Amino acid sequence: MEFKTLFPIMKKHLADGDDVPYFFRELMAKITTVSEADWAKGKDPSAKLSDNTIRSYVKRGLSKNLAGNIVYHLTPKILTRSISKRSPASRALFAEDLVGYEPTINADNVAEKVTEWLEQIIQESAGLIPQDELQKQQQQILASDLKKKYGDYLLAETDGCCPFPGCGRQLTISKNGKAIHTFEVSLIDKSKATTPENLMAMCPQCYATYLLDDSKKLMAELKEIKTVLSTHKQSIRLLDDLPLEKGIVGVIKRIRKLGEKELSDASFEPKEVKQKLSPSQDMVLYNAVTNYVTTYFIRIKEIMINLDKSGEIDYDEIQDQIHALYKKLKKANKPHLEIFNEIADKIHRVTLQDAIFCQIVVSYFVQSCEVFDAITE
Ligand SMILES: [Zn+2]
């Protein structure tokens, strides 16, 4: 199916009297999450498409540039739903005009079929290679096989969101009180073996599009993302066996409540931070830690001591635990920023408190010497 064939038939049945550019824009808004200003980003990021450009697409087909920019951001379900909302009679008329291209088309399936065609047109216009039926079948068998073998592992690695550049869709949704996994397992480098290091869980939409995409640049990006995911997973595994007192959640709840006045009364000069983090090597981390320590150190220390006295936490124990987390990551040769993030993440997993408060707590322990050793000259 070609765009110049499909579009006029869609317009006839779905445009409700709108002109070509208006209907085209409306159709694109339904099939992609990319906004109009970004449809043809490569040429002019600020410009929306002119009516004339749109008319030329309708005559000659979509440009590779436009298709390439939207192909990983398609929302076929939204288009299907919108066509399905039309009356059965108008869908029947729509299907009648298309039956010459697909004999099985009818009022019930016209919405899905038209969406599928449009998706294929965009994929092919973007330079992706379509698969024949046999390839599709083989692919489905391989995909379900990989999902069975490695699905759980790879899903955990993604933290539940599609890691594809610019996507981030949820890979698990809850429906009627049940968690449903909506992901597929894809090869990263399609010429290499199906080992876990070369596999990634992603949403079905990104999976289907990447399957047809042979871009080396994209593959390189996915490899980088995979490295980040697996390094993070390794660190989690390193820290999983180490305990952390749940009482720390009480500390964070009290930090959250601290107001400007209480904090401004208790500013602190964090000289020690400079002995552990070098501003030239870890500038961002150094600045963040210094800032948090200056603002929060004195009040957090009070909170810790009070909670220790009332028996809600064992302060010595928490200090030892945090130090143990640090030692484990240090032994694995992790860089400072990663160590900081992983300890904050561990606190987040134990307490489910916002990441920023967990970072404030780690900064406290940098100043109080459980995290990071003094830099030796
Ligand atoms: Zn995705």
Side-chain angles (χ1 to χ4, degrees), residues 139 142-143 145-151 153-155 157-158 163 183-190 192-202 207 210 222-223 225-227 229-230:
Q139 187 56 49
L142 176 69
D145 207 37
L146 292 176
K147 198 170 163 181
K148 248 182 251 154
K149 262 193 204 153
Y150 304 114
Y153 173 84
L154 295 164
L155 182 65
E157 192 179 70
T158 63
F183 71 97
E184 296 295 336
V185 169
S186 171
L187 279 163
I188 297 171
D189 185 337
K190 292 169 207 160
K192 297 249 166 73
T194 54
T195 56
E197 304 79 56
N198 189 32
L199 295 171
M200 191 185 270
M202 51 181 82
Y207 165 79
Y210 185 60
L222 288 183
K223 278 184 181 169
I225 292 172
K226 176 73 182 184
T227 311
L229 292 177
S230 49

mmCIF file of all heavy atoms in Angstrom, residues 139 142-143 145-151 153-155 157-158 163 183-190 192-202 207 210 222-223 225-227 229-230:
data_model
loop_
_atom_site.group_PDB
_atom_site.id
_atom_site.type_symbol
_atom_site.label_atom_id
_atom_site.label_comp_id
_atom_site.label_asym_id
_atom_site.label_seq_id
_atom_site.Cartn_x
_atom_site.Cartn_y
_atom_site.Cartn_z
ATOM 1 N N GLN A 139 10.750 -14.892 13.385
ATOM 2 C CA GLN A 139 11.067 -13.867 14.365
ATOM 3 C C GLN A 139 10.228 -14.035 15.632
ATOM 4 O O GLN A 139 10.712 -13.918 16.741
ATOM 5 C CB GLN A 139 10.841 -12.493 13.733
ATOM 6 C CG GLN A 139 11.283 -11.339 14.584
ATOM 7 C CD GLN A 139 12.747 -11.474 14.972
ATOM 8 O OE1 GLN A 139 13.595 -11.726 14.132
ATOM 9 N NE2 GLN A 139 13.034 -11.323 16.266
ATOM 10 N N LEU A 142 11.496 -16.944 17.716
ATOM 11 C CA LEU A 142 12.727 -16.559 18.405
ATOM 12 C C LEU A 142 12.419 -15.622 19.577
ATOM 13 O O LEU A 142 12.913 -15.805 20.690
ATOM 14 C CB LEU A 142 13.689 -15.873 17.419
ATOM 15 C CG LEU A 142 14.980 -15.333 18.036
ATOM 16 C CD1 LEU A 142 15.883 -16.472 18.494
ATOM 17 C CD2 LEU A 142 15.734 -14.441 17.038
ATOM 18 N N ALA A 143 11.546 -14.636 19.311
ATOM 19 C CA ALA A 143 11.239 -13.647 20.353
ATOM 20 C C ALA A 143 10.589 -14.298 21.572
ATOM 21 O O ALA A 143 10.950 -14.000 22.708
ATOM 22 C CB ALA A 143 10.337 -12.549 19.793
ATOM 23 N N ASP A 145 10.819 -17.355 22.504
ATOM 24 C CA ASP A 145 11.840 -18.201 23.100
ATOM 25 C C ASP A 145 12.763 -17.389 24.026
ATOM 26 O O ASP A 145 13.018 -17.760 25.177
ATOM 27 C CB ASP A 145 12.666 -18.784 21.951
ATOM 28 C CG ASP A 145 13.273 -20.109 22.334
ATOM 29 O OD1 ASP A 145 12.600 -20.857 23.044
ATOM 30 O OD2 ASP A 145 14.432 -20.352 21.923
ATOM 31 N N LEU A 146 13.238 -16.260 23.512
ATOM 32 C CA LEU A 146 14.144 -15.402 24.287
ATOM 33 C C LEU A 146 13.434 -14.811 25.505
ATOM 34 O O LEU A 146 14.020 -14.656 26.566
ATOM 35 C CB LEU A 146 14.686 -14.271 23.410
ATOM 36 C CG LEU A 146 15.646 -14.687 22.291
ATOM 37 C CD1 LEU A 146 16.011 -13.479 21.445
ATOM 38 C CD2 LEU A 146 16.894 -15.335 22.871
ATOM 39 N N LYS A 147 12.170 -14.488 25.321
ATOM 40 C CA LYS A 147 11.400 -13.905 26.420
ATOM 41 C C LYS A 147 11.261 -14.925 27.550
ATOM 42 O O LYS A 147 11.378 -14.583 28.725
ATOM 43 C CB LYS A 147 10.031 -13.463 25.900
ATOM 44 C CG LYS A 147 9.350 -12.482 26.811
ATOM 45 C CD LYS A 147 8.136 -11.892 26.136
ATOM 46 C CE LYS A 147 7.240 -11.247 27.159
ATOM 47 N NZ LYS A 147 6.035 -10.680 26.549
ATOM 48 N N LYS A 148 10.997 -16.181 27.170
ATOM 49 C CA LYS A 148 10.868 -17.232 28.177
ATOM 50 C C LYS A 148 12.176 -17.412 28.954
ATOM 51 O O LYS A 148 12.207 -17.524 30.157
ATOM 52 C CB LYS A 148 10.484 -18.549 27.500
ATOM 53 C CG LYS A 148 9.078 -19.015 27.857
ATOM 54 C CD LYS A 148 8.773 -20.352 27.202
ATOM 55 C CE LYS A 148 7.750 -20.188 26.084
ATOM 56 N NZ LYS A 148 7.824 -21.201 25.043
ATOM 57 N N LYS A 149 13.283 -17.461 28.181
ATOM 58 C CA LYS A 149 14.587 -17.738 28.795
ATOM 59 C C LYS A 149 15.109 -16.573 29.628
ATOM 60 O O LYS A 149 15.585 -16.750 30.735
ATOM 61 C CB LYS A 149 15.609 -18.018 27.688
ATOM 62 C CG LYS A 149 15.836 -19.492 27.427
ATOM 63 C CD LYS A 149 17.072 -19.648 26.552
ATOM 64 C CE LYS A 149 17.043 -20.938 25.777
ATOM 65 N NZ LYS A 149 17.795 -20.870 24.528
ATOM 66 N N TYR A 150 15.086 -15.382 29.060
ATOM 67 C CA TYR A 150 15.800 -14.253 29.685
ATOM 68 C C TYR A 150 14.891 -13.102 30.109
ATOM 69 O O TYR A 150 15.364 -12.110 30.651
ATOM 70 C CB TYR A 150 16.846 -13.685 28.710
ATOM 71 C CG TYR A 150 17.830 -14.689 28.203
ATOM 72 C CD1 TYR A 150 17.847 -15.053 26.858
ATOM 73 C CD2 TYR A 150 18.760 -15.279 29.061
ATOM 74 C CE1 TYR A 150 18.762 -15.973 26.377
ATOM 75 C CE2 TYR A 150 19.674 -16.197 28.590
ATOM 76 C CZ TYR A 150 19.672 -16.550 27.245
ATOM 77 O OH TYR A 150 20.575 -17.452 26.777
ATOM 78 N N GLY A 151 13.580 -13.228 29.828
ATOM 79 C CA GLY A 151 12.658 -12.096 30.032
ATOM 80 C C GLY A 151 12.721 -11.479 31.424
ATOM 81 O O GLY A 151 12.895 -10.273 31.549
ATOM 82 N N TYR A 153 14.972 -11.628 33.784
ATOM 83 C CA TYR A 153 16.277 -11.018 34.051
ATOM 84 C C TYR A 153 16.391 -9.660 33.355
ATOM 85 O O TYR A 153 16.776 -8.658 33.967
ATOM 86 C CB TYR A 153 17.373 -11.969 33.564
ATOM 87 C CG TYR A 153 18.758 -11.403 33.613
ATOM 88 C CD1 TYR A 153 19.489 -11.448 34.797
ATOM 89 C CD2 TYR A 153 19.336 -10.821 32.493
ATOM 90 C CE1 TYR A 153 20.768 -10.929 34.849
ATOM 91 C CE2 TYR A 153 20.610 -10.301 32.532
ATOM 92 C CZ TYR A 153 21.330 -10.358 33.706
ATOM 93 O OH TYR A 153 22.590 -9.840 33.759
ATOM 94 N N LEU A 154 16.023 -9.634 32.075
ATOM 95 C CA LEU A 154 16.181 -8.396 31.301
ATOM 96 C C LEU A 154 15.187 -7.320 31.742
ATOM 97 O O LEU A 154 15.495 -6.137 31.736
ATOM 98 C CB LEU A 154 16.028 -8.683 29.813
ATOM 99 C CG LEU A 154 17.116 -9.585 29.233
ATOM 100 C CD1 LEU A 154 16.701 -10.137 27.885
ATOM 101 C CD2 LEU A 154 18.450 -8.845 29.118
ATOM 102 N N LEU A 155 13.997 -7.754 32.139
ATOM 103 C CA LEU A 155 13.006 -6.792 32.614
ATOM 104 C C LEU A 155 13.507 -6.103 33.890
ATOM 105 O O LEU A 155 13.409 -4.886 34.029
ATOM 106 C CB LEU A 155 11.673 -7.502 32.887
ATOM 107 C CG LEU A 155 10.526 -6.614 33.346
ATOM 108 C CD1 LEU A 155 10.131 -5.641 32.239
ATOM 109 C CD2 LEU A 155 9.310 -7.446 33.748
ATOM 110 N N GLU A 157 16.512 -5.641 34.703
ATOM 111 C CA GLU A 157 17.618 -4.761 34.327
ATOM 112 C C GLU A 157 17.128 -3.373 33.906
ATOM 113 O O GLU A 157 17.804 -2.373 34.110
ATOM 114 C CB GLU A 157 18.374 -5.426 33.168
ATOM 115 C CG GLU A 157 19.699 -4.823 32.830
ATOM 116 C CD GLU A 157 20.348 -5.598 31.691
ATOM 117 O OE1 GLU A 157 19.846 -5.519 30.547
ATOM 118 O OE2 GLU A 157 21.347 -6.269 31.936
ATOM 119 N N THR A 158 15.940 -3.299 33.303
ATOM 120 C CA THR A 158 15.445 -2.017 32.794
ATOM 121 C C THR A 158 14.766 -1.171 33.867
ATOM 122 O O THR A 158 14.391 -0.045 33.582
ATOM 123 C CB THR A 158 14.368 -2.220 31.712
ATOM 124 O OG1 THR A 158 13.253 -2.893 32.321
ATOM 125 C CG2 THR A 158 14.885 -3.026 30.559
ATOM 126 N N PRO A 163 13.993 1.073 27.746
ATOM 127 C CA PRO A 163 15.245 1.827 27.745
ATOM 128 C C PRO A 163 15.618 2.401 26.376
ATOM 129 O O PRO A 163 16.661 3.018 26.235
ATOM 130 C CB PRO A 163 16.280 0.773 28.173
ATOM 131 C CG PRO A 163 15.705 -0.532 27.740
ATOM 132 C CD PRO A 163 14.208 -0.380 27.688
ATOM 133 N N PHE A 183 6.349 -6.363 27.193
ATOM 134 C CA PHE A 183 7.661 -6.089 26.608
ATOM 135 C C PHE A 183 8.062 -7.234 25.693
ATOM 136 O O PHE A 183 7.462 -8.306 25.723
ATOM 137 C CB PHE A 183 8.717 -5.908 27.708
ATOM 138 C CG PHE A 183 9.075 -7.188 28.427
ATOM 139 C CD1 PHE A 183 10.203 -7.908 28.056
ATOM 140 C CD2 PHE A 183 8.283 -7.676 29.449
ATOM 141 C CE1 PHE A 183 10.532 -9.092 28.708
ATOM 142 C CE2 PHE A 183 8.604 -8.852 30.099
ATOM 143 C CZ PHE A 183 9.730 -9.563 29.730
ATOM 144 N N GLU A 184 9.057 -6.983 24.870
ATOM 145 C CA GLU A 184 9.638 -8.022 24.033
ATOM 146 C C GLU A 184 11.141 -8.010 24.273
ATOM 147 O O GLU A 184 11.695 -7.028 24.752
ATOM 148 C CB GLU A 184 9.357 -7.750 22.552
ATOM 149 C CG GLU A 184 7.891 -7.801 22.178
ATOM 150 C CD GLU A 184 7.269 -9.184 22.353
ATOM 151 O OE1 GLU A 184 8.023 -10.187 22.316
ATOM 152 O OE2 GLU A 184 6.042 -9.263 22.538
ATOM 153 N N VAL A 185 11.793 -9.117 23.918
ATOM 154 C CA VAL A 185 13.239 -9.190 24.060
ATOM 155 C C VAL A 185 13.880 -9.043 22.683
ATOM 156 O O VAL A 185 13.547 -9.786 21.768
ATOM 157 C CB VAL A 185 13.657 -10.523 24.715
ATOM 158 C CG1 VAL A 185 15.156 -10.715 24.618
ATOM 159 C CG2 VAL A 185 13.205 -10.544 26.164
ATOM 160 N N SER A 186 14.748 -8.070 22.544
ATOM 161 C CA SER A 186 15.355 -7.803 21.238
ATOM 162 C C SER A 186 16.864 -8.022 21.276
ATOM 163 O O SER A 186 17.509 -7.790 22.298
ATOM 164 C CB SER A 186 15.064 -6.352 20.843
ATOM 165 O OG SER A 186 15.810 -6.011 19.695
ATOM 166 N N LEU A 187 17.388 -8.474 20.153
ATOM 167 C CA LEU A 187 18.842 -8.495 19.993
ATOM 168 C C LEU A 187 19.320 -7.059 19.859
ATOM 169 O O LEU A 187 18.637 -6.240 19.250
ATOM 170 C CB LEU A 187 19.220 -9.247 18.721
ATOM 171 C CG LEU A 187 19.247 -10.765 18.789
ATOM 172 C CD1 LEU A 187 19.220 -11.331 17.384
ATOM 173 C CD2 LEU A 187 20.511 -11.225 19.517
ATOM 174 N N ILE A 188 20.480 -6.745 20.387
ATOM 175 C CA ILE A 188 21.049 -5.409 20.189
ATOM 176 C C ILE A 188 21.835 -5.413 18.878
ATOM 177 O O ILE A 188 21.530 -4.686 17.950
ATOM 178 C CB ILE A 188 21.945 -5.018 21.385
ATOM 179 C CG1 ILE A 188 21.101 -4.951 22.654
ATOM 180 C CG2 ILE A 188 22.633 -3.670 21.118
ATOM 181 C CD1 ILE A 188 21.891 -4.792 23.928
ATOM 182 N N ASP A 189 22.839 -6.278 18.804
ATOM 183 C CA ASP A 189 23.567 -6.473 17.548
ATOM 184 C C ASP A 189 22.982 -7.720 16.880
ATOM 185 O O ASP A 189 23.165 -8.836 17.370
ATOM 186 C CB ASP A 189 25.056 -6.667 17.853
ATOM 187 C CG ASP A 189 25.886 -6.760 16.578
ATOM 188 O OD1 ASP A 189 25.301 -7.117 15.522
ATOM 189 O OD2 ASP A 189 27.093 -6.476 16.627
ATOM 190 N N LYS A 190 22.265 -7.495 15.770
ATOM 191 C CA LYS A 190 21.518 -8.610 15.171
ATOM 192 C C LYS A 190 22.410 -9.652 14.526
ATOM 193 O O LYS A 190 21.962 -10.734 14.163
ATOM 194 C CB LYS A 190 20.509 -8.073 14.167
ATOM 195 C CG LYS A 190 19.402 -7.298 14.834
ATOM 196 C CD LYS A 190 18.565 -6.543 13.815
ATOM 197 C CE LYS A 190 17.946 -5.320 14.461
ATOM 198 N NZ LYS A 190 17.551 -4.333 13.463
ATOM 199 N N LYS A 192 25.057 -10.849 16.065
ATOM 200 C CA LYS A 192 25.741 -11.598 17.138
ATOM 201 C C LYS A 192 24.794 -12.568 17.845
ATOM 202 O O LYS A 192 23.582 -12.531 17.634
ATOM 203 C CB LYS A 192 26.308 -10.595 18.161
ATOM 204 C CG LYS A 192 27.364 -9.661 17.576
ATOM 205 C CD LYS A 192 28.749 -9.969 18.130
ATOM 206 C CE LYS A 192 29.865 -9.297 17.339
ATOM 207 N NZ LYS A 192 29.926 -7.844 17.589
ATOM 208 N N ALA A 193 25.369 -13.389 18.719
ATOM 209 C CA ALA A 193 24.614 -14.456 19.373
ATOM 210 C C ALA A 193 23.579 -13.926 20.372
ATOM 211 O O ALA A 193 23.678 -12.792 20.828
ATOM 212 C CB ALA A 193 25.579 -15.386 20.104
ATOM 213 N N THR A 194 22.617 -14.784 20.699
ATOM 214 C CA THR A 194 21.554 -14.402 21.621
ATOM 215 C C THR A 194 21.975 -14.645 23.075
ATOM 216 O O THR A 194 21.365 -15.427 23.795
ATOM 217 C CB THR A 194 20.274 -15.216 21.350
ATOM 218 O OG1 THR A 194 20.631 -16.593 21.393
ATOM 219 C CG2 THR A 194 19.665 -14.883 20.017
ATOM 220 N N THR A 195 23.043 -13.986 23.495
ATOM 221 C CA THR A 195 23.469 -14.067 24.898
ATOM 222 C C THR A 195 22.880 -12.871 25.647
ATOM 223 O O THR A 195 22.597 -11.849 25.023
ATOM 224 C CB THR A 195 25.002 -14.004 25.003
ATOM 225 O OG1 THR A 195 25.429 -12.802 24.355
ATOM 226 C CG2 THR A 195 25.659 -15.183 24.319
ATOM 227 N N PRO A 196 22.698 -12.997 26.973
ATOM 228 C CA PRO A 196 22.072 -11.901 27.724
ATOM 229 C C PRO A 196 22.758 -10.547 27.517
ATOM 230 O O PRO A 196 22.103 -9.514 27.555
ATOM 231 C CB PRO A 196 22.208 -12.348 29.180
ATOM 232 C CG PRO A 196 22.355 -13.807 29.130
ATOM 233 C CD PRO A 196 23.001 -14.152 27.835
ATOM 234 N N GLU A 197 24.078 -10.564 27.275
ATOM 235 C CA GLU A 197 24.792 -9.284 27.091
ATOM 236 C C GLU A 197 24.366 -8.604 25.787
ATOM 237 O O GLU A 197 24.555 -7.406 25.621
ATOM 238 C CB GLU A 197 26.316 -9.491 27.017
ATOM 239 C CG GLU A 197 26.941 -10.201 28.194
ATOM 240 C CD GLU A 197 26.758 -11.699 28.129
ATOM 241 O OE1 GLU A 197 27.168 -12.302 27.120
ATOM 242 O OE2 GLU A 197 26.166 -12.282 29.066
ATOM 243 N N ASN A 198 23.830 -9.378 24.865
ATOM 244 C CA ASN A 198 23.434 -8.815 23.573
ATOM 245 C C ASN A 198 21.911 -8.703 23.465
ATOM 246 O O ASN A 198 21.369 -8.584 22.369
ATOM 247 C CB ASN A 198 23.999 -9.686 22.444
ATOM 248 C CG ASN A 198 23.825 -9.055 21.086
ATOM 249 O OD1 ASN A 198 23.856 -7.827 20.951
ATOM 250 N ND2 ASN A 198 23.598 -9.877 20.068
ATOM 251 N N LEU A 199 21.219 -8.760 24.600
ATOM 252 C CA LEU A 199 19.755 -8.695 24.570
ATOM 253 C C LEU A 199 19.255 -7.550 25.432
ATOM 254 O O LEU A 199 19.894 -7.170 26.408
ATOM 255 C CB LEU A 199 19.158 -10.001 25.107
ATOM 256 C CG LEU A 199 19.429 -11.267 24.294
ATOM 257 C CD1 LEU A 199 18.963 -12.485 25.066
ATOM 258 C CD2 LEU A 199 18.740 -11.212 22.937
ATOM 259 N N MET A 200 18.093 -7.024 25.051
ATOM 260 C CA MET A 200 17.515 -5.932 25.829
ATOM 261 C C MET A 200 15.996 -6.068 25.822
ATOM 262 O O MET A 200 15.407 -6.393 24.804
ATOM 263 C CB MET A 200 17.917 -4.602 25.182
ATOM 264 C CG MET A 200 17.624 -3.370 26.013
ATOM 265 S SD MET A 200 17.990 -1.877 25.091
ATOM 266 C CE MET A 200 19.701 -1.618 25.533
ATOM 267 N N ALA A 201 15.380 -5.838 26.982
ATOM 268 C CA ALA A 201 13.916 -5.800 27.033
ATOM 269 C C ALA A 201 13.473 -4.420 26.585
ATOM 270 O O ALA A 201 14.067 -3.428 26.979
ATOM 271 C CB ALA A 201 13.432 -6.076 28.450
ATOM 272 N N MET A 202 12.468 -4.366 25.713
ATOM 273 C CA MET A 202 11.948 -3.057 25.298
ATOM 274 C C MET A 202 10.445 -3.162 25.032
ATOM 275 O O MET A 202 9.906 -4.269 24.976
ATOM 276 C CB MET A 202 12.715 -2.512 24.087
ATOM 277 C CG MET A 202 12.851 -3.441 22.916
ATOM 278 S SD MET A 202 13.797 -2.715 21.539
ATOM 279 C CE MET A 202 15.491 -2.981 22.033
ATOM 280 N N TYR A 207 10.423 -2.473 19.887
ATOM 281 C CA TYR A 207 10.895 -3.772 19.435
ATOM 282 C C TYR A 207 10.565 -3.977 17.945
ATOM 283 O O TYR A 207 11.425 -4.319 17.148
ATOM 284 C CB TYR A 207 10.247 -4.874 20.279
ATOM 285 C CG TYR A 207 10.376 -6.249 19.699
ATOM 286 C CD1 TYR A 207 11.555 -6.968 19.828
ATOM 287 C CD2 TYR A 207 9.318 -6.814 18.985
ATOM 288 C CE1 TYR A 207 11.681 -8.234 19.271
ATOM 289 C CE2 TYR A 207 9.434 -8.073 18.430
ATOM 290 C CZ TYR A 207 10.615 -8.784 18.568
ATOM 291 O OH TYR A 207 10.736 -10.013 18.011
ATOM 292 N N TYR A 210 12.606 -1.525 15.735
ATOM 293 C CA TYR A 210 14.052 -1.801 15.703
ATOM 294 C C TYR A 210 14.361 -3.070 14.911
ATOM 295 O O TYR A 210 15.410 -3.183 14.276
ATOM 296 C CB TYR A 210 14.619 -1.919 17.128
ATOM 297 C CG TYR A 210 16.118 -2.092 17.161
ATOM 298 C CD1 TYR A 210 16.948 -1.114 16.611
ATOM 299 C CD2 TYR A 210 16.710 -3.230 17.693
ATOM 300 C CE1 TYR A 210 18.323 -1.266 16.613
ATOM 301 C CE2 TYR A 210 18.085 -3.395 17.702
ATOM 302 C CZ TYR A 210 18.889 -2.413 17.160
ATOM 303 O OH TYR A 210 20.256 -2.568 17.147
ATOM 304 N N LEU A 222 22.304 1.797 21.540
ATOM 305 C CA LEU A 222 21.726 0.745 22.387
ATOM 306 C C LEU A 222 22.808 0.030 23.188
ATOM 307 O O LEU A 222 22.598 -0.339 24.339
ATOM 308 C CB LEU A 222 20.945 -0.267 21.535
ATOM 309 C CG LEU A 222 19.622 0.224 20.956
ATOM 310 C CD1 LEU A 222 18.925 -0.894 20.192
ATOM 311 C CD2 LEU A 222 18.702 0.747 22.043
ATOM 312 N N LYS A 223 23.987 -0.169 22.564
ATOM 313 C CA LYS A 223 25.086 -0.817 23.286
ATOM 314 C C LYS A 223 25.487 0.009 24.494
ATOM 315 O O LYS A 223 25.747 -0.530 25.571
ATOM 316 C CB LYS A 223 26.297 -0.998 22.357
ATOM 317 C CG LYS A 223 26.181 -2.212 21.467
ATOM 318 C CD LYS A 223 27.448 -2.397 20.655
ATOM 319 C CE LYS A 223 27.323 -3.605 19.749
ATOM 320 N NZ LYS A 223 28.420 -3.656 18.765
ATOM 321 N N ILE A 225 23.589 2.129 26.151
ATOM 322 C CA ILE A 225 22.517 2.030 27.150
ATOM 323 C C ILE A 225 22.620 0.709 27.897
ATOM 324 O O ILE A 225 22.481 0.650 29.122
ATOM 325 C CB ILE A 225 21.135 2.170 26.468
ATOM 326 C CG1 ILE A 225 20.969 3.593 25.952
ATOM 327 C CG2 ILE A 225 20.009 1.813 27.436
ATOM 328 C CD1 ILE A 225 19.741 3.810 25.110
ATOM 329 N N LYS A 226 22.910 -0.363 27.145
ATOM 330 C CA LYS A 226 23.041 -1.689 27.771
ATOM 331 C C LYS A 226 24.155 -1.683 28.823
ATOM 332 O O LYS A 226 24.011 -2.269 29.898
ATOM 333 C CB LYS A 226 23.320 -2.731 26.685
ATOM 334 C CG LYS A 226 23.565 -4.124 27.203
ATOM 335 C CD LYS A 226 22.291 -4.783 27.696
ATOM 336 C CE LYS A 226 22.568 -6.163 28.268
ATOM 337 N NZ LYS A 226 21.345 -6.851 28.671
ATOM 338 N N THR A 227 25.266 -1.021 28.524
ATOM 339 C CA THR A 227 26.361 -0.944 29.489
ATOM 340 C C THR A 227 25.899 -0.258 30.767
ATOM 341 O O THR A 227 26.177 -0.732 31.872
ATOM 342 C CB THR A 227 27.556 -0.153 28.893
ATOM 343 O OG1 THR A 227 27.816 -0.679 27.600
ATOM 344 C CG2 THR A 227 28.786 -0.274 29.753
ATOM 345 N N LEU A 229 22.816 -0.009 31.892
ATOM 346 C CA LEU A 229 21.856 -0.876 32.587
ATOM 347 C C LEU A 229 22.563 -1.993 33.330
ATOM 348 O O LEU A 229 22.262 -2.275 34.488
ATOM 349 C CB LEU A 229 20.870 -1.500 31.583
ATOM 350 C CG LEU A 229 19.880 -0.586 30.879
ATOM 351 C CD1 LEU A 229 19.051 -1.381 29.873
ATOM 352 C CD2 LEU A 229 18.967 0.103 31.869
ATOM 353 N N SER A 230 23.535 -2.646 32.668
ATOM 354 C CA SER A 230 24.126 -3.803 33.329
ATOM 355 C C SER A 230 25.085 -3.403 34.446
ATOM 356 O O SER A 230 25.200 -4.108 35.443
ATOM 357 C CB SER A 230 24.776 -4.770 32.333
ATOM 358 O OG SER A 230 25.597 -4.080 31.453
#
